[in-house]
Amino acid sequence: MATNAQPEKLTAVQHDLPTPEPESPFRSRKPYRFSTLCATVENPDMKDQYGSSSVPIYQTSTFKGVAGEYDYSRSGNPTRSHLEHHIAKISSAAHAFAVSSGMAALDVILRLLKPGDEVIAGDDLYGGTNRLLGYIKTHVGVTVHHVDTTDPASLHPYINPDKTAMVLLESPTNPLLKIADLATISKDVKERAPNAVIVVDNTMMSPYLQRPLEHGADIVYDSATKYLSGHHDLMSGVVTCNRDDLAKQIAFTINAVGNALTPIDSFLLLRGIKTLAIRMDRQQTTAHIVADYLHSLGFRTHYPGLPGHPGKDIHARIADGNGAVLSFETGSKTLSEKIVAGTRLWGISVSFGCVNSLISMPCVMSHASIDAATRAARGLPEDLIRLCVGIEDPHDLLDDLERSLLGAGAIEFDEVQNKYVRVVDPEGTDAISRAVQKLAVGKELGYDAGEWVVSAPGKVILFGEHAVVHGVTAIAASVDLRCYGLTSPRNDHRLSVHFHDIDNFYLEWNIDSLPWDAVTPVPAGEEHPADLDQRLIDALLQGPLSQISDAQKSARVASLAFLYLYMILSKSEERPSFNFSARATLPVGAGLGSSASFSACAATAILLLHGRISIPKLPVPTDPATGHIHVSHQGRRALPSPIAEEVNRWAFVSEKILHGNPSGVDNSVAVYGGALAYTRPGFTRKSGMEAIQGFKSLKFLLTNSKVPRDTKKLVAGVGEKKTNEPELVNSILDTIQSISDEAKRALADPELPRESLLQALSVLIVENHGHLVTLGVSHPSLEAIRTRTAEPYGLSTKLTGAGGGGCAVTLIPDDFKPEHLQNLVDDLIRENYEPYITSVGGSGLGILSPYPEHRNRGAASATHEHTQAEGQVTPPETPAPEYQIQLGDKAKALRVPFETTSFEGLTEWASGLGKWLYV
Ligand code: PLP
């Protein structure tokens, strides 16, 4: 709109679509309801020349001609005019303006003030609002009084008929959801200072739930970045009012400073508004469920829909709903930080109003611009967590939140109430270790000396082996070949190990004969020191392990790791007597992470038997529609993260015993499953381990060449080559880095079609292998496997791990015919290799659920693949209240089949035992 045309438009009646024309004089139509108004973008004064259904984007800064309605987009633009017309319509307003952000909207409004004016504002305002008020206080000479707006009387002392120029309110406030009686305050102020302008920030409600102009406000603004847009894809603010004089000044400022909304953002905002009502309905229904849930756990929860929320009745009079923002207090800032960090579905982000749910800690995020002392003075708790609920399935949102609360140690299971309750831990000092201790319910269940079946996957290095030693990123993924561990109680005060795959090694010890003098136990919740306890290692090697000959080196070191963990994790008064058997479906010593999967199994078994971790009992589910707890547990990710972290820490200790200086990749894959990218510290690149999210399971053929390797020698060989031919080796390392980067990108890209992913991986595999050959770490047997898979099958193969023997990996495309795969397997067996068909990227650590009703279900319904199926939700856990594990015969029940089931049948046998819980 042309600048000079604005006054005419300002006086025009804007909300011209509240009700259609009566059909007949006798039967009038009802007014349109809000959602109809929202979805119907129509401006009879601005008919589109082509009848377009959606308002076009007039992406132009200027308009031709001199007498047209529009001349320059800062002053007016047709797309923005449509938007403003629509906003006015749904806000009960005569005038609406769209600007570049919520803060820009407030800025435009605050420019109504002049030096010497006074403003009365709430004391629980959005942080950015405070910041801007602070600015005008110091730079414009305006006095700002912050008062508790929950009590209209608290404003009275500050209302001055000559000086009070503006009252700035939010209701409900963000993040404490305090309610201000907008109607009473407006009336009080108007009576005492008729010239004061009542301004309301309505962002938390949107026009759908609250229209303050109907309650006496003069100006209302929204950060349209929030609910009005709904998708977090634009920034915008809108200002509405009914008074022509105010509208004129606002229009002047917007044109003068040039912060009107751009055409493309006007278009997007208009599109977002069409679904405002339907989004809001869903979001606030779920918010209510979440608020009820937190309240029922015993957390102090702020939400206007909860009984007893201060000002609830006032809010109900003014607003049409409670909105979708709530907050709760945990009693500890540290605990809150852990909860916020522990959610996956709830994104950590400032802002709200989006279709995706968000979690944040206002004091360190959105309200960090208010200094700590002021926050404290205004009663903003440092531990406050704000939840902004989106449109996701409420089950998933509750499930994710519950996992995080549990993981952080904020809730625990209460047997009497059969539900989770809040752990009252005002100090919140060490929530994780507390959680780990609290999870140690095994003892209470009489299960600490019982049978546990655990399993963990092996790994393949898909890209970057050898180069990883020199700071290049390696990509590792779990394989569907696993190590299984079983603990069986003994009644003779002895401890024994049985390693099937290390020459069927078996050894037992009297527990009292172990070198207890040499052990410094690590108390529950504490971590192992960086260095191994050499005194204990020496004592074990010279004592209980001295009888194992050098010919049984692998068994000796595995026993050493087992006894070391057993002793260092022991409490002096409780030394459980049991046998630990380990069996694997993956080849041992072939570079497939068999030792890490053993370490993860042994660590888990020992932690369980020492009562350091246990499987949380879960509540009887109830329906979220009724506002109570419901937890859906998939087999995958049913083990809370403190358990995974604790096991991983101890599996790493075991790996140190087995390997001296492990990278930590193998045990992390064994515990967490999936795929990860690892870069060693100490080089220029960013180091660390990064899970590759969204990794899709891939089929591989792993072929064990059965040629033993000397990893140390191979690694040293590459190092030497680097010294002798630095240019060549460095350029190979750079290329391998780009291969790893490319693979990581492709594996994590949810948009990439599967066929393209497989093609890309296939090319990268061939390339990476070529470089490993140049580095001199291949072997004739590996080249023979590669040739066999390439001709005539056309498959891509590379060596994996150290090379020089060990295994080769071959990518099997989805459409590779089963009969061809069978032929290839037969060919390889004929050539005396050991092929394994496996999928890559599956579950990590698994523990067979101890709850009896999940045991001994039909193998068919509980196969490993089945429990992992994407998107499948297994039935919620319903533990029997009279749960009690019976020792005795049953305790020995699994040992015989575990030790005698065939190698081929082991996976299926284990799967058929019942429900497996995975990390
Ligand atoms: N008002 C409230 C209540 C807010 O929460 C925000 C932003 O978070 C704003 C105003 C400022 O809006 P914007 O970020 O769009 O400038």
Side-chain angles (χ1 to χ4, degrees):
M1 175 193 315
T3 327
N4 57 9
Q6 280 179 359
E8 283 74 36
K9 177 164 184 216
L10 293 174
T11 50
V13 177
Q14 297 286 312
H15 35 295
D16 39 24
L17 203 78
T19 306
E21 288 300 304
E23 257 181 359
S24 79
F26 308 105
R27 197 161 68 85
S28 62
R29 278 187 182 159
K30 288 193 178 131
Y32 284 147
R33 289 157 184 89
F34 192 91
S35 53
T36 312
L37 291 180
C38 250
T40 317
V41 178
E42 246 173 58
N43 183 350
D45 294 338
M46 291 185 71
K47 290 279 182 218
D48 179 71
Q49 55 186 321
Y50 300 113
S52 72
S53 304
S54 149
V55 171
I57 307 171
Y58 284 88
Q59 189 65 29
T60 178
S61 56
T62 52
F63 298 83
K64 288 181 181 162
V66 286
E69 195 179 355
Y70 298 96
D71 57 10
Y72 192 50
S73 279
R74 166 152 54 77
S75 316
N77 177 285
T79 314
R80 191 162 72 239
S81 294
H82 265 293
L83 167 69
E84 291 172 340
H85 175 271
H86 197 57
I87 289 167
K89 188 179 81 182
I90 63 170
S91 306
S92 303
H95 311 287
F97 304 92
V99 292
S100 58
S101 72
M103 292 323 301
L106 179 62
D107 181 45
V108 164
I109 295 163
L110 293 180
R111 284 174 196 246
L112 295 168
L113 298 168
K114 55 185 192 323
D117 281 348
E118 292 192 3
V119 174
I120 305 173
D123 65 358
D124 184 24
L125 298 172
Y126 166 61
T129 303
N130 274 304
R131 185 169 44 205
L132 194 52
L133 285 175
Y135 180 88
I136 63 153
K137 226 160 123 176
T138 50
H139 291 75
V140 185
V142 167
T143 305
V144 182
H145 305 285
H146 286 282
V147 300
D148 175 4
T149 49
T150 60
D151 176 11
S154 68
L155 278 79
H156 295 173
Y158 299 98
I159 304 175
N160 180 324
D162 302 320
K163 292 190 170 166
T164 306
M166 193 176 281
V167 174
L168 182 53
L169 304 169
E170 274 183 42
S171 185
T173 61
N174 164 25
L176 284 174
L177 287 296
K178 288 191 201 166
I179 304 299
D181 186 341
L182 301 178
T184 302
I185 294 175
S186 299
K187 188 166 137 294
D188 284 359
V189 173
K190 288 281 153 63
E191 280 170 7
R192 293 167 173 79
N195 293 329
V197 176
I198 315 286
V199 178
V200 177
D201 178 340
N202 199 42
T203 308
M204 289 277 278
M205 291 277 99
S206 85
Y208 178 37
L209 298 182
Q210 185 168 274
R211 289 168 298 282
L213 294 179
E214 294 170 359
H215 302 287
D218 298 303
I219 301 177
V220 175
Y221 73 102
D222 267 63
S223 165
T225 316
K226 315 292 185 313
Y227 291 110
L228 283 168
S229 137
H231 294 76
H232 276 189
D233 51 8
L234 65 94
M235 299 289 306
S236 172
V238 301
V239 186
T240 55
C241 67
N242 281 321
R243 275 174 51 181
D244 294 353
D245 58 331
L246 292 175
K248 197 169 169 181
Q249 290 184 68
I250 290 167
F252 172 83
T253 306
I254 293 171
N255 186 42
V257 303
N259 60 2
L261 197 61
T262 61
I264 190 158
D265 284 339
S266 298
F267 168 84
L268 280 174
L269 182 54
L270 196 51
R271 186 168 76 162
I273 290 173
K274 291 180 195 173
T275 55
L276 171 65
I278 196 165
R279 282 186 277 112
M280 207 49 163
D281 282 344
R282 167 69 172 239
Q283 286 173 260
Q284 66 174 347
T285 303
T286 308
H288 218 300
I289 293 170
V290 175
D292 278 344
Y293 167 69
L294 290 166
H295 178 66
S296 74
L297 286 171
F299 291 104
R300 185 160 183 225
T301 308
H302 307 276
Y303 185 64
L306 287 176
H309 184 84
K312 179 178 166 50
D313 295 342
I314 296 165
H315 180 75
R317 270 206 312 276
I318 296 173
D320 297 331
N322 297 311
V325 174
L326 61 128
S327 58
F328 69 106
E329 295 168 37
T330 66
S332 149
K333 194 176 175 189
T334 325
L335 188 57
S336 296
E337 281 167 357
K338 283 171 184 158
I339 294 167
V340 169
T343 55
R344 292 196 182 183
L345 191 53
W346 298 82
I348 303 177
S349 172
V350 292
S351 199
F352 57 90
C354 178
V355 290
N356 301 110
S357 295
L358 305 174
I359 188 166
S360 66
M361 282 181 72
C363 285
V364 290
M365 297 170 74
S366 54
H367 290 60
S369 57
I370 307 174
D371 65 82
T374 312
R375 288 198 301 258
R378 295 195 191 149
L380 191 63
E382 295 286 306
D383 62 323
L384 194 75
I385 295 180
R386 189 183 72 176
L387 296 174
C388 307
V389 180
I391 62 168
E392 302 92 338
D393 190 300
H395 297 84
D396 292 334
L397 288 171
L398 278 186
D399 198 12
D400 191 48
L401 184 59
E402 187 164 84
R403 273 171 204 284
S404 179
L405 291 169
L406 191 59
I411 56 173
E412 66 185 354
F413 188 70
D414 182 300
E415 309 233 351
V416 179
Q417 300 181 55
N418 187 35
K419 66 168 201 145
Y420 287 120
V421 292
R422 183 182 167 203
V423 176
V424 182
D425 178 15
E427 296 311 312
T429 39
D430 193 359
I432 292 261
S433 65
R434 254 190 87 95
V436 171
Q437 286 167 37
K438 284 285 173 191
L439 288 167
V441 295
K443 250 183 76 207
E444 292 160 36
L445 297 172
Y447 204 51
D448 54 342
E451 276 181 314
W452 287 99
V453 195
V454 298
S455 84
K459 65 103 214 333
V460 275
I461 304 262
L462 294 177
F463 299 100
E465 53 275 274
H466 279 289
V468 72
V469 176
H470 305 278
V472 168
T473 307
I475 310 287
S478 63
V479 291
D480 211 9
L481 303 170
R482 303 174 73 89
C483 178
Y484 292 86
L486 169 72
T487 64
S488 312
R490 302 176 59 126
N491 302 317
D492 54 1
H493 205 57
R494 294 179 80 77
L495 192 63
S496 50
V497 290
H498 187 178
F499 305 138
H500 287 247
D501 304 303
I502 314 179
D503 301 325
N504 212 18
F505 178 85
Y506 176 85
L507 196 58
E508 61 178 63
W509 307 272
N510 181 322
I511 291 174
D512 289 339
S513 73
L514 297 175
W516 292 104
D517 289 351
V519 72
T520 312
V522 175
E526 285 188 19
E527 293 184 23
H528 187 280
D531 294 324
L532 293 173
D533 184 344
Q534 200 54 44
R535 194 163 81 101
L536 178 58
I537 289 178
D538 292 343
L540 285 167
L541 290 173
Q542 283 149 29
L545 304 175
S546 58
Q547 53 183 299
I548 308 175
S549 70
D550 278 354
Q552 292 180 302
K553 252 198 307 210
S554 304
R556 182 169 60 200
V557 74
S559 305
L560 176 66
F562 179 84
L563 287 181
Y564 185 96
L565 293 193
Y566 177 86
M567 292 183 71
I568 218 159
L569 287 167
S570 231
K571 286 173 254 165
S572 54
E573 67 286 9
E574 289 163 34
R575 289 171 183 165
S577 165
F578 64 97
N579 173 76
F580 176 69
S581 295
R583 285 192 71 180
T585 57
L586 77 166
V588 172
L592 295 181
S594 57
S595 88
S597 61
F598 164 81
S599 291
C601 286
T604 308
I606 293 167
L607 288 164
L608 283 165
L609 284 166
H610 283 323
R612 298 238 184 177
I613 57 166
S614 78
I615 308 305
K617 266 180 108 180
L618 299 158
V620 174
T622 50
D623 186 358
T626 61
H628 296 296
I629 311 162
H630 175 101
V631 189
S632 62
H633 281 275
Q634 289 169 274
R636 194 158 181 176
R637 287 196 52 218
L639 293 178
S641 53
I643 288 188
E645 283 158 22
E646 185 77 342
V647 169
N648 200 29
R649 276 194 284 271
W650 291 100
F652 184 58
V653 174
S654 166
E655 284 285 275
K656 276 190 183 169
I657 297 170
L658 298 174
H659 296 297
N661 186 19
S663 68
V665 175
D666 290 16
N667 51 282
S668 297
V669 173
V671 172
Y672 292 102
L676 56 81
Y678 171 75
T679 316
R680 268 181 77 162
F683 293 84
T684 48
R685 273 183 207 94
K686 200 172 137 229
S687 67
M689 235 172 291
E690 190 193 330
I692 300 179
Q693 302 295 346
F695 183 92
K696 302 135 206 110
S697 188
L698 299 166
K699 199 169 182 184
F700 275 90
L701 181 72
L702 297 179
T703 308
N704 186 2
S705 67
K706 298 205 274 186
V707 176
R709 326 139 297 153
D710 184 339
T711 303
K712 274 193 191 136
K713 208 165 140 195
L714 288 156
V715 170
V718 175
E720 215 170 285
K721 197 170 177 70
K722 194 177 167 202
T723 315
N724 298 337
E725 298 169 83
E727 257 179 44
L728 169 73
V729 174
N730 282 329
S731 90
I732 289 178
L733 294 177
D734 287 346
T735 317
I736 296 181
Q737 179 66 46
S738 64
I739 290 175
S740 286
D741 289 343
E742 186 58 40
K744 189 169 115 188
R745 243 196 317 275
L747 287 166
D749 182 354
E751 305 287 318
L752 190 66
R754 190 160 170 96
E755 207 175 306
S756 316
L757 170 69
L758 292 168
Q759 272 167 10
L761 291 178
S762 194
V763 171
L764 295 173
I765 283 173
V766 173
E767 259 187 54
N768 195 156
H769 182 79
H771 295 302
L772 289 165
V773 171
T774 316
L775 290 177
V777 296
S778 192
H779 184 271
S781 64
L782 295 169
E783 293 309 310
I785 295 168
R786 224 172 67 74
T787 314
R788 167 63 59 227
T789 56
E791 292 286 335
Y793 299 101
L795 300 174
S796 300
T797 296
K798 69 181 271 293
L799 69 84
T800 181
C807 277
V809 288
T810 307
L811 180 66
I812 308 293
D814 298 338
D815 56 0
F816 193 65
K817 291 209 168 62
E819 57 272 24
H820 290 173
L821 186 56
Q822 192 54 53
N823 290 344
L824 171 60
V825 164
D826 292 343
D827 287 350
L828 291 166
I829 293 173
R830 250 194 312 280
E831 286 163 38
N832 206 23
Y833 300 119
E834 246 172 35
Y836 300 81
I837 298 165
T838 181
S839 68
V840 157
S843 298
L845 179 73
I847 301 179
L848 181 66
S849 170
Y851 300 105
E853 59 271 41
H854 294 301
R855 287 234 177 171
N856 302 320
R857 284 209 184 137
S861 68
T863 62
H864 184 57
E865 304 246 312
H866 186 75
T867 52
Q868 279 188 56
E870 272 303 314
Q872 183 204 334
V873 178
T874 48
E877 303 245 0
T878 49
E882 72 286 4
Y883 172 72
Q884 195 40 268
I885 292 281
Q886 300 297 318
L887 294 180
D889 286 350
K890 187 172 184 309
K892 293 200 182 90
L894 294 181
R895 190 158 166 199
V896 173
F898 183 82
E899 303 198 342
T900 54
T901 300
S902 70
F903 173 83
E904 292 76 21
L906 186 60
T907 303
E908 203 183 330
W909 173 80
S911 302
L913 289 173
K915 180 181 166 74
W916 280 82
L917 308 171
Y918 293 98
V919 167

Coordinates of all heavy atoms in Angstrom, one line a residue, residues 101-104 126 129 170 174 201 203-204 221 223-226 235-236 351-352 386, ligand 1:
S101 N 9.7 -9.5 13.6 CA 9.8 -10.4 14.7 C 8.9 -9.9 15.8 O 8.4 -8.8 15.8 CB 11.3 -10.5 15.2 OG 11.6 -9.3 15.8
G102 N 8.8 -10.8 16.8 CA 8.0 -10.4 18.0 C 8.7 -9.2 18.7 O 8.0 -8.2 19.1
M103 N 10.0 -9.2 18.7 CA 10.7 -8.0 19.4 C 10.5 -6.8 18.5 O 10.4 -5.7 19.1 CB 12.2 -8.4 19.6 CG 12.5 -9.4 20.6 SD 11.4 -9.4 22.0 CE 11.7 -7.8 22.7
A104 N 10.5 -6.9 17.2 CA 10.3 -5.8 16.3 C 8.9 -5.2 16.6 O 8.7 -4.0 16.6 CB 10.4 -6.2 14.9
Y126 N 8.9 -12.3 29.3 CA 9.9 -12.9 28.4 C 11.2 -12.1 28.5 O 11.2 -10.9 28.5 CB 9.4 -12.8 26.9 CG 10.4 -13.1 25.9 CD1 11.1 -14.4 25.9 CD2 10.8 -12.2 24.9 CE1 12.0 -14.6 24.9 CE2 11.7 -12.5 24.0 CZ 12.4 -13.7 24.0 OH 13.3 -13.9 23.1
T129 N 11.9 -9.2 26.2 CA 11.1 -8.0 26.5 C 11.8 -7.2 27.6 O 11.9 -5.9 27.6 CB 9.7 -8.5 27.0 OG1 9.2 -9.3 26.0 CG2 8.8 -7.3 27.3
E170 N 1.6 -9.8 30.2 CA 1.6 -11.2 29.6 C 0.7 -12.0 30.4 O 0.8 -12.0 31.6 CB 3.0 -11.8 29.6 CG 3.9 -11.4 28.5 CD 5.3 -12.2 28.6 OE1 5.3 -13.4 28.9 OE2 6.3 -11.5 28.4
N174 N 5.4 -16.5 30.6 CA 6.4 -17.5 30.1 C 7.6 -17.4 31.0 O 8.2 -16.3 31.0 CB 6.6 -17.3 28.7 CG 7.8 -18.0 28.1 OD1 8.2 -19.0 28.6 ND2 8.4 -17.4 27.1
D201 N 1.2 -8.9 25.5 CA 1.9 -9.9 24.7 C 1.1 -11.2 24.8 O 1.0 -11.8 25.8 CB 3.3 -10.1 25.3 CG 4.1 -11.1 24.5 OD1 3.6 -11.9 23.8 OD2 5.4 -11.1 24.7
T203 N 1.6 -13.9 22.9 CA 2.3 -15.0 22.2 C 1.9 -16.4 22.8 O 1.8 -17.4 22.0 CB 3.8 -14.8 22.3 OG1 4.1 -13.5 21.9 CG2 4.6 -15.8 21.5
M204 N 1.8 -16.5 24.1 CA 1.6 -17.8 24.7 C 0.2 -18.4 24.4 O 0.0 -19.6 24.5 CB 1.7 -17.7 26.2 CG 3.1 -17.5 26.7 SD 4.0 -19.0 26.8 CE 3.4 -19.6 28.4
Y221 N 0.1 -7.7 20.9 CA 1.1 -8.2 19.9 C 1.5 -9.7 20.2 O 1.3 -10.2 21.3 CB 2.4 -7.4 19.9 CG 3.3 -7.5 21.1 CD1 4.5 -8.2 21.0 CD2 3.0 -6.8 22.3 CE1 5.3 -8.3 22.1 CE2 3.8 -6.9 23.4 CZ 5.0 -7.7 23.3 OH 5.8 -7.8 24.4
S223 N 4.4 -12.8 19.1 CA 5.6 -13.3 18.3 C 5.0 -14.3 17.4 O 4.7 -15.4 17.9 CB 6.7 -13.9 19.2 OG 7.5 -14.6 18.4
A224 N 4.8 -14.0 16.2 CA 4.2 -14.9 15.2 C 5.1 -16.0 14.8 O 4.8 -17.0 14.2 CB 3.7 -14.1 14.0
T225 N 6.4 -15.9 15.3 CA 7.4 -16.9 15.2 C 6.9 -18.2 15.8 O 7.3 -19.3 15.5 CB 8.7 -16.5 15.9 OG1 8.9 -15.1 15.6 CG2 9.9 -17.3 15.6
K226 N 5.9 -18.0 16.8 CA 5.5 -19.2 17.6 C 4.2 -19.8 17.0 O 4.3 -20.3 15.9 CB 5.2 -18.7 19.0 CG 6.3 -17.8 19.6 CD 7.6 -18.5 19.8 CE 8.7 -17.7 20.5 NZ 9.0 -16.4 20.1
M235 N 10.6 -15.9 11.2 CA 10.5 -15.0 12.3 C 9.4 -13.9 11.9 O 9.4 -13.4 10.8 CB 11.8 -14.2 12.5 CG 13.0 -15.1 12.8 SD 13.0 -15.8 14.5 CE 12.7 -14.3 15.5
S236 N 8.6 -13.6 12.9 CA 7.6 -12.5 12.6 C 6.9 -12.1 13.9 O 6.9 -12.8 14.9 CB 6.5 -13.0 11.6 OG 5.5 -12.1 11.5
S351 N 12.4 -20.9 22.3 CA 11.2 -20.7 21.5 C 10.1 -21.8 21.8 O 10.4 -22.8 22.5 CB 11.5 -20.7 20.0 OG 10.4 -20.0 19.3
F352 N 8.9 -21.6 21.2 CA 7.8 -22.6 21.4 C 6.8 -22.4 20.3 O 7.0 -21.5 19.4 CB 7.2 -22.4 22.8 CG 6.7 -21.1 23.1 CD1 5.4 -20.7 22.8 CD2 7.5 -20.1 23.7 CE1 4.9 -19.4 23.0 CE2 7.0 -18.8 24.0 CZ 5.7 -18.5 23.6
R386 N 11.2 -26.0 31.0 CA 10.0 -25.7 30.3 C 9.7 -26.7 29.2 O 10.7 -27.1 28.5 CB 10.2 -24.3 29.7 CG 8.9 -23.7 29.1 CD 9.1 -22.4 28.4 NE 9.9 -22.5 27.2 CZ 10.1 -21.5 26.4 NH1 9.8 -20.3 26.7 NH2 10.8 -21.7 25.3
Ligands
PLP1 N1 7.1 -12.6 23.6 C1 7.2 -13.8 24.0 C2 6.3 -14.3 25.1 C3 8.2 -14.7 23.5 O1 8.4 -15.9 24.0 C4 9.1 -14.2 22.5 C5 10.1 -15.1 21.9 O2 10.5 -16.1 22.5 C6 8.9 -12.9 22.0 C7 7.9 -12.1 22.6 C8 9.8 -12.4 21.0 O3 9.5 -12.8 19.7 P1 10.6 -13.0 18.5 O4 11.6 -14.0 19.0 O5 9.7 -13.4 17.4 O6 11.2 -11.7 18.3

